Amino acid sequence: MNKPQSPILLDVPFLKLLGVKITKMSDGIGEVTLEIEDKHMNSWKVAHGGVLLTLVDAAMAISARASDPDDRSVVTIELKNSFMQAAQGNVRVEGKTVHQSSTMAFCEARVFDANEKLCCLATGTFKYFKNLPLRQKVIN
């Protein structure tokens, strides 16, 4: 019997606001899920495209970090998405690093709806950067 995996925690306020759950972050793979609620929908009562773009961006960024032995942070340089069909019900997004250099990660992501139908296909380029120490704000 498989042991349940503990939740993966990353401090990303926007993902928390949406209710995104990170379900995998290892070996160059990032996976996120979202229970679609009314607040995530467009006027046709399906997942809003902006929500789906956020999910593919997050899954690919997580995969880029999961492929880096130094666990550096990343920023999105380029993101392309193709919408194939409306995403209905809860969604799962699989991100994967397909190539990596010392400064960049090239990733892809796939969005699946509750029926495991492919809804979106995305690619993205992410730049690694060293985690900078927090600067203290000086108030005069």
Side-chain angles (χ1 to χ4, degrees):
M1 184 162 82
N2 290 340
K3 185 177 173 182
Q5 207 176 18
S6 359
I8 298 161
L9 302 174
L10 288 177
D11 188 21
V12 183
F14 187 59
L15 296 183
K16 288 179 188 176
L17 177 70
L18 290 175
V20 175
K21 292 182 182 155
I22 302 167
T23 54
K24 183 168 184 175
M25 183 178 181
S26 63
D27 302 320
I29 303 293
E31 184 179 86
V32 299
T33 60
L34 180 64
E35 293 181 20
I36 300 297
E37 301 173 22
D38 286 344
K39 67 182 178 183
H40 302 118
M41 295 182 186
N42 61 23
S43 59
W44 292 297
K45 301 295 182 197
V46 295
H48 190 282
V51 170
L52 299 177
L53 286 172
T54 296
L55 295 175
V56 297
D57 183 49
M60 290 188 289
I62 292 165
S63 77
R65 287 191 63 177
S67 65
D68 184 41
D70 298 323
D71 190 31
R72 292 174 290 174
S73 295
V74 295
V75 292
T76 308
I77 300 299
E78 176 268 337
L79 174 65
K80 179 186 182 301
N81 186 74
S82 295
F83 295 104
M84 297 172 190
Q85 66 179 17
Q88 298 186 36
N90 299 335
V91 295
R92 180 177 62 84
V93 184
E94 295 175 352
K96 177 177 152 184
T97 300
V98 294
H99 180 74
Q100 183 182 9
S101 72
S102 61
T103 59
M104 307 283 261
F106 302 88
C107 305
E108 65 183 20
R110 295 170 188 264
V111 177
F112 298 94
D113 69 8
N115 296 316
E116 286 296 309
K117 290 187 177 177
L118 181 63
C119 299
C120 302
L121 180 62
T123 58
T125 306
F126 297 82
K127 181 169 179 47
Y128 290 112
F129 67 95
K130 291 181 183 179
N131 293 329
L132 300 174
L134 294 176
R135 295 181 186 186
Q136 291 189 0
K137 190 174 184 180
V138 177
I139 301 173
N140 292 336

